[in-house]
Amino acid sequence: DAKTTQPPSMDCAEGRAANLPCNHSTISGNEYVYWYRQIHSQGPQYIIHGLKNNETNEMASLIITEDRKSSTLILPHATLRDTAVYYCIVTANQAGTALIFGKGTTLSVSS
Amino acid sequence: DAGVIQSPRHEVTEMGQEVTLRCKPISGHNSLFWYRQTMMRGLELLIYFNNNVPIDDSGMPEDRFSAKMPNASFSTLKIQPSEPRDSAVYFCASSQDTSNYGYTFGSGTRLTVV
């Protein structure tokens, strides 16, 4: 069973920020929050991950609440190419740990 | 780096035939994962290896499925005999224990069993 809950779908206008929520109320102290996305018919692509602190890279920002029970992935200026299924995954960052994917959020970016 | 390489990209076979899917992980990665994706069931983990050793094969659906990793640069997923319900996209992914970039997935093999 996936340890996360995400809305099944979201819409976003091109150029606006896309804020994708994820609930992970049973997260353990040694577990990280990972975000991946899958553009139609391609393999999933790593976006970002974090433990406690907020993280930012060239693709997105990750905001984790202080109690770590939820997080938000932010795409600051969504483009049509960001249309994809976004997966939030909680996992321990240990050797060979397997990622278990849930259903994710289908983000549709429109012009 | 060429990334994770899977072959073939597409496979169409008749029910009852043996199917072998191949994966070359990224050099230096020591974990390898096989996933299957269908519309109904989403992305399912089938099996994963760490340092060429199978760690968890509980996701392998039946004895018809088997996977091997004879060395650090090659893995196979075999289905024998194949059935129409095995039709799916099969992804291979690899990772490095010390990496902060998670998994790298291949482009997948789209299997159709008729």
Side-chain angles (χ1 to χ4, degrees):
Chain A
D1 289 335
K3 301 179 183 179
T4 63
T5 304
Q6 299 178 253
S9 63
M10 294 184 64
D11 295 319
C12 180
E14 190 176 22
R16 304 296 296 268
N19 297 291
L20 291 88
C22 179
N23 287 324
H24 32 80
S25 59
T26 61
I27 191 170
S28 300
N30 67 336
E31 290 183 316
Y32 287 70
V33 180
Y34 278 81
W35 283 84
Y36 281 75
R37 74 179 182 183
Q38 186 174 25
I39 297 170
H40 180 62
S41 77
Q42 298 181 19
Q45 175 192 25
Y46 167 84
I47 301 174
I48 197 168
H49 75 285
L51 182 63
K52 296 180 183 178
N53 300 323
N54 298 337
E55 303 287 344
T56 296
N57 63 21
E58 65 278 4
M59 290 182 68
S61 294
L62 174 61
I63 308 298
I64 302 174
T65 58
E66 190 169 346
D67 63 7
R68 302 211 318 128
K69 293 185 177 181
S70 66
S71 61
T72 301
L73 178 74
I74 301 172
L75 308 179
H77 305 287
T79 71
L80 298 178
R81 289 178 295 179
D82 292 321
T83 293
V85 179
Y86 287 77
Y87 298 97
C88 170
I89 302 166
V90 164
T91 186
N93 194 15
Q94 298 172 354
T97 303
L99 294 177
I100 306 300
F101 288 79
K103 298 185 185 301
T105 295
T106 299
L107 175 67
S108 298
V109 181
S110 57
S111 57
Chain B
D1 197 321
V4 176
I5 300 172
Q6 292 187 245
S7 63
R9 288 297 308 275
H10 302 275
E11 177 80 35
V12 180
T13 190
E14 291 185 347
M15 182 174 61
Q17 296 297 307
E18 177 180 296
V19 176
T20 299
L21 310 181
R22 297 173 175 80
C23 176
K24 177 178 169 55
I26 290 175
S27 177
H29 282 193
N30 58 353
S31 293
L32 183 139
F33 309 82
W34 283 100
Y35 288 85
R36 176 174 70 175
Q37 186 170 35
T38 61
M39 288 292 292
M40 290 293 293
R41 302 177 67 89
L43 264 168
E44 301 175 276
L45 176 67
L46 299 178
I47 185 172
Y48 69 96
F49 298 82
N50 187 248
N51 293 322
N52 310 339
V53 176
I55 301 301
D56 185 352
D57 66 354
S58 60
M60 297 285 263
E62 302 173 29
D63 291 344
R64 298 184 295 107
F65 286 69
S66 63
K68 295 181 179 180
M69 191 164 187
N71 57 61
S73 60
F74 184 65
S75 177
T76 59
L77 178 68
K78 184 178 295 186
I79 308 172
Q80 166 64 17
S82 58
E83 296 182 4
R85 59 189 167 131
D86 301 331
S87 297
V89 180
Y90 291 80
F91 288 104
C92 175
S94 69
S95 73
Q96 185 179 42
D97 288 349
T98 58
S99 170
N100 287 325
Y101 295 95
Y103 294 8
T104 301
F105 280 78
S107 299
T109 294
R110 181 172 297 277
L111 173 65
T112 303
V113 183
V114 298

